[in-house]
Amino acid sequence: MLASRDPAAEVKIIDMGLCVDRWRFPPGPIPPQGCVGKASYMAPETYLDSEFDESVDLWCVAVMLFMMLFGVPPYRKPHSGLCALFREIEAGRLLDLLARWGMAATVSPDAQDLLRRMLSVSRADRPTLPEVLAHPWMAPEMKDLGGA
């Protein structure tokens, strides 16, 4: 989606697959809303139709970042019983997986670290958006933009 009709407009990444009125619910986790969207982008808690929070959005951003950096999705389904690649992520072996694929050297260690953190199966262990923006891989660009 373009931010305006200007030829130099920013591109905004959006997905209305699981659009929830956050303010309809009390603070804290949101009750299950059904398994909707594309499995290859879903956070595990969405795929399993469990309660979730805003960290599912950062999971999706991590999947998109992974595909931009490596040209392939990190897994097909976010379920260890259905996808061997996801088992590697779930076990915290994303960096080992990249090394086996011969891709680890193509991306900086800081970028790999950010992906590993964002693709944490435990939503409590995923970084928040401010933490992502302050991460060493992001921080130089954010400073150039007047942020962090």
Side-chain angles (χ1 to χ4, degrees):
M1 171 195 250
L2 296 175
S4 72
R5 293 181 184 269
D6 185 304
E10 291 181 343
V11 174
K12 303 286 185 174
I13 299 173
I14 66 166
D15 179 8
M16 303 303 274
L18 178 60
C19 188
V20 174
D21 180 1
R22 177 63 180 113
W23 309 117
R24 246 184 51 215
F25 301 99
I30 298 171
Q33 301 292 306
C35 184
V36 297
K38 292 187 177 33
S40 56
Y41 292 89
M42 283 182 197
E45 57 270 28
T46 306
Y47 188 78
L48 296 172
D49 197 20
S50 301
E51 65 180 23
F52 62 97
D53 59 22
E54 291 83 1
S55 69
V56 297
D57 295 330
L58 287 174
W59 178 281
C60 297
V61 169
V63 170
M64 288 186 282
L65 178 60
F66 189 99
M67 288 194 284
M68 286 188 276
L69 292 173
F70 299 108
V72 295
Y75 57 84
R76 291 188 186 269
K77 294 185 187 278
H79 189 286
S80 59
L82 302 174
C83 180
L85 296 175
F86 188 77
R87 274 195 298 277
E88 296 295 307
I89 293 169
E90 185 177 54
R93 295 191 298 259
L94 176 64
L95 303 183
D96 296 336
L97 182 64
L98 293 175
R100 281 199 313 273
W101 286 353
M103 296 177 152
T106 65
V107 175
S108 74
D110 281 341
Q112 293 177 44
D113 178 66
L114 180 59
L115 282 171
R116 182 186 57 77
R117 292 171 189 259
M118 291 175 74
L119 290 174
S120 174
V121 172
S122 167
R123 68 178 193 234
D125 292 338
R126 285 181 214 145
T128 63
L129 182 56
E131 291 169 338
V132 168
L133 295 176
H135 188 275
W137 190 70
M138 294 289 292
E141 286 73 18
M142 292 308 298
K143 285 183 181 154
D144 290 344
L145 296 172

